[in-house]
Amino acid sequence: MSIQVSPTVTNGSHGNVSGENNYLLELLQQCQKGVETLHVTSLQEIRDRASAIIRQSTLPTTKIEEWRFTDLSALKQIDFQAAVPCGLPEALVAPLTFPEAANSRLVFINGVYASELSAIGDLPKGVVVSNLSGLPAEYRDRIYNYLAKSEGGEEIFTTLNTAGMTDVAVVWISKNVVVETPIHLLFIANSFRTPTINQPRCLVVAETGSSVTLVEDYLNQFNIEEPETSEAEVSETVYFTNAVTEIWLGENAQVRHTRVERESVEAFHIGKTAITQARDSRYTCNAITLGAKLSRHNLDIFQTGEQTETILNGLTMVAGQQTADTHSAIALNYPYGMSRQLHKCIVADKAHTVFNGRVFVAKAAQLTDAGQLNRNLLLSPKARVDTKPQLEIIADNVKCSHGATVSQLEDDEIFYLQSRGINAADAQNLLVNAFAAEIINQLPILSLQQTLLKAVTREATTLNLAD
């Protein structure tokens, strides 16, 4: 397969080994603790290649354009230890699940599969949902045609994940199979006293003519070994989630993908989602970012055939000292491709959001239709937004647009609601909720919609906007 992509789609940081990258090597050492020799030959080769890249690389700094607005200094000040496998009572996990996916769920704790909390009994023939060790034999060799094969895999944190890969959440939809039941991949970080690093990994293959709805969910839960832990202490748990998801769509396949990041407010979350779409395929991503002290989501789309459709919706809501960075890149390489992107940010207190959305239209991508918009709502004078829509067009017969807006709550809208008997605080909360609801209401799972709308309402209320 040949994909025409500008080298700047990826954002790796390669350089000579120096004293400064000892931190990266120590991270690598921690990530490789407990690495199992499952499928020794193929998996070990993948890890070895990634490890070799890590040893010649350094962590990115703000001197690198792709990381100019996201400072990793706070991350580098913490010595993360390898997360250890642990269990959680079903009663604690149950509230985190969705009734719509009661029997189509995989749960991972600290990146380790929790079979006792997973349920995969409600899936049709031709659908495989499993972790790597439980994968049916006929699929074990097939996954190596896709695992760690996505474009952009050399990005430094993606490479770190690959070098320490121990288990993988695998979703495989066979040719022409339509899955009505949503599939829920739940990744729980469970650490407390010691800062830990965990590295979830997902591989999704939707063969020709198949269809699936997928929810990828990242959050934290308190340590069962310390039940006296208060909710406030849990919310301040320090850990590092470094997640990678690869999704492959065959011809005329459809994937509706929701990614929710609601980690601890003191956590670090760096995620990579790489999508490869064959001709006539349709991919929709709803990415919700609510948590983490510092988060970054790299979302890379590669259209590899004609008449391919990509829809990206995003919502980021941060407050306090949080920083949330969304870097997306869409490579349209063939004729009649279509993409739409709407990313919205709600920023309060001294929080900081970054949006860098690149759309690349190759010369061969004639009659492309691409639109991109980043909308930002500032709720505080000290809140900060850095937005950088990028549209690079080589083809000469296309319809493309992009833009960004930064605004505050409108006084006349608040006044209108107050004139209807709503107090100022409730009026402002209503407007914030309405801003977020445009994205949340598009999620394909009703219970998740309700959960996230409540989270946004709760967060907006605590901001005390009326003051």
Side-chain angles (χ1 to χ4, degrees):
M1 180 177 62
S2 175
I3 304 175
Q4 301 173 18
V5 181
S6 166
T8 57
V9 168
T10 59
N11 48 12
S13 172
H14 300 269
N16 295 325
V17 176
S18 67
E20 293 184 355
N21 88 325
N22 286 340
Y23 182 83
L24 181 58
L25 296 178
E26 289 174 3
L27 273 183
L28 174 63
Q29 185 178 28
Q30 290 299 323
C31 293
Q32 291 185 322
K33 282 187 176 179
V35 167
E36 298 176 357
T37 54
L38 184 67
H39 310 307
V40 174
T41 304
S42 301
L43 196 58
Q44 193 58 46
E45 287 177 355
I46 293 172
R47 291 184 193 129
D48 289 345
R49 284 197 299 271
S51 297
I53 294 173
I54 291 290
R55 292 190 179 93
Q56 299 179 44
S57 304
T58 57
L59 282 177
T61 70
T62 54
K63 295 180 180 178
I64 298 173
E65 178 63 23
E66 290 296 308
W67 290 85
R68 184 156 64 102
F69 299 115
T70 303
D71 187 357
L72 294 175
S73 298
L75 176 77
K76 297 174 187 176
Q77 292 174 5
I78 301 173
D79 293 326
F80 293 98
Q81 304 297 310
V84 296
C86 63
L88 284 174
E90 185 176 359
L92 292 178
V93 176
L96 310 176
T97 64
F98 314 130
E100 296 91 338
N103 291 304
S104 55
R105 177 184 69 244
L106 291 185
V107 178
F108 290 75
I109 300 176
N110 290 343
V112 179
Y113 179 56
S115 59
E116 71 282 6
L117 301 173
S118 302
I120 50 175
D122 192 21
L123 295 167
K125 184 179 179 181
V127 178
V128 173
V129 178
S130 172
N131 72 316
L132 195 57
S133 62
L135 202 62
E138 61 268 32
Y139 289 90
R140 290 185 181 177
D141 290 334
R142 296 173 67 186
I143 69 166
Y144 293 113
N145 293 326
Y146 300 94
L147 189 62
K149 296 292 193 301
S150 298
E151 294 280 340
E154 69 275 18
E155 191 274 331
I156 193 66
F157 288 102
T158 303
T159 306
L160 181 65
N161 182 295
T162 301
M165 185 164 44
T166 56
D167 206 350
V168 182
V170 179
V171 177
W172 193 297
I173 315 298
S174 298
K175 184 177 180 180
N176 295 329
V177 172
V178 176
V179 188
E180 302 292 348
T181 304
I183 295 170
H184 186 196
L185 305 178
L186 178 58
F187 297 95
I188 302 173
N190 185 34
S191 61
F192 183 54
R193 298 298 181 192
T194 303
T196 58
I197 179 171
N198 67 93
Q199 299 204 108
R201 185 93 183 197
C202 303
L203 174 67
V204 179
V205 179
E207 292 186 347
T208 299
S210 63
S211 177
V212 66
T213 298
L214 178 73
V215 178
E216 191 184 344
D217 199 358
Y218 297 91
L219 45 76
N220 73 311
Q221 183 58 275
F222 69 82
N223 195 325
I224 189 60
E225 295 175 356
E226 305 199 33
E228 73 282 2
T229 306
S230 69
E231 184 175 348
E233 288 175 313
V234 170
S235 68
E236 296 177 355
T237 302
V238 178
Y239 58 91
F240 177 19
T241 297
N242 181 32
V244 174
T245 296
E246 297 172 281
I247 300 179
W248 298 80
L249 288 84
E251 293 184 5
N252 199 35
Q254 181 172 11
V255 173
R256 295 168 294 275
H257 178 206
T258 297
R259 187 184 196 277
V260 183
E261 184 271 289
R262 38 182 173 163
E263 307 268 28
S264 155
V265 294
E266 292 296 328
F268 298 84
H269 180 103
I270 294 180
K272 171 67 169 288
T273 305
I275 314 298
T276 307
Q277 294 186 248
R279 64 173 297 159
D280 297 314
S281 63
R282 299 173 302 284
Y283 172 75
T284 300
C285 180
N286 299 297
I288 311 297
T289 300
L290 301 177
K293 177 179 183 178
L294 186 154
S295 67
R296 172 154 169 151
H297 183 207
N298 296 313
L299 176 57
D300 294 345
I301 314 292
F302 301 92
Q303 293 190 356
T304 64
E306 297 181 6
Q307 300 185 113
T308 303
E309 178 181 300
T310 304
I311 307 292
L312 305 180
N313 299 310
L315 173 67
T316 297
M317 184 173 186
V318 290
Q321 303 278 350
Q322 289 179 278
T323 295
D325 182 347
T326 296
H327 263 65
S328 66
I330 306 174
L332 299 108
N333 296 315
Y334 290 83
Y336 305 105
M338 192 279 278
S339 70
R340 289 288 183 274
Q341 183 173 25
L342 173 60
H343 188 85
K344 306 181 79 171
C345 299
I346 303 171
V347 197
D349 302 329
K350 297 181 181 178
H352 176 205
T353 62
V354 180
F355 174 78
N356 190 314
R358 179 172 179 265
V359 179
F360 174 73
V361 183
K363 185 176 183 179
Q366 301 295 335
L367 299 172
T368 287
D369 182 358
Q372 180 188 72
L373 178 60
N374 173 223
R375 295 184 62 197
N376 300 279
L377 180 60
L378 291 178
L379 302 179
S380 162
K382 295 184 179 179
R384 175 182 169 188
V385 169
D386 287 297
T387 178
K388 185 182 179 184
Q390 293 178 264
L391 188 54
E392 301 176 29
I393 304 173
I394 300 177
D396 55 13
N397 186 10
V398 299
K399 183 171 69 175
C400 298
S401 65
H402 70 160
T405 65
V406 180
S407 62
Q408 300 173 329
L409 293 175
E410 298 291 340
D411 290 339
D412 56 346
E413 293 176 341
I414 295 172
F415 175 77
Y416 174 83
L417 292 173
Q418 286 182 287
S419 68
R420 267 43 181 184
I422 301 173
N423 65 50
D426 289 343
Q428 293 177 72
N429 290 341
L430 279 173
L431 294 173
V432 172
N433 289 345
F435 186 85
E438 183 180 359
I439 300 297
I440 293 177
N441 287 343
Q442 298 187 51
L443 303 185
I445 299 177
L446 180 59
S447 63
L448 181 58
Q449 282 186 26
Q450 295 169 341
T451 297
L452 293 178
L453 285 172
K454 287 179 182 176
V456 170
T457 300
R458 183 170 59 250
E459 185 67 23
T461 302
T462 59
L463 295 176
N464 196 21
L465 299 174
D467 294 338

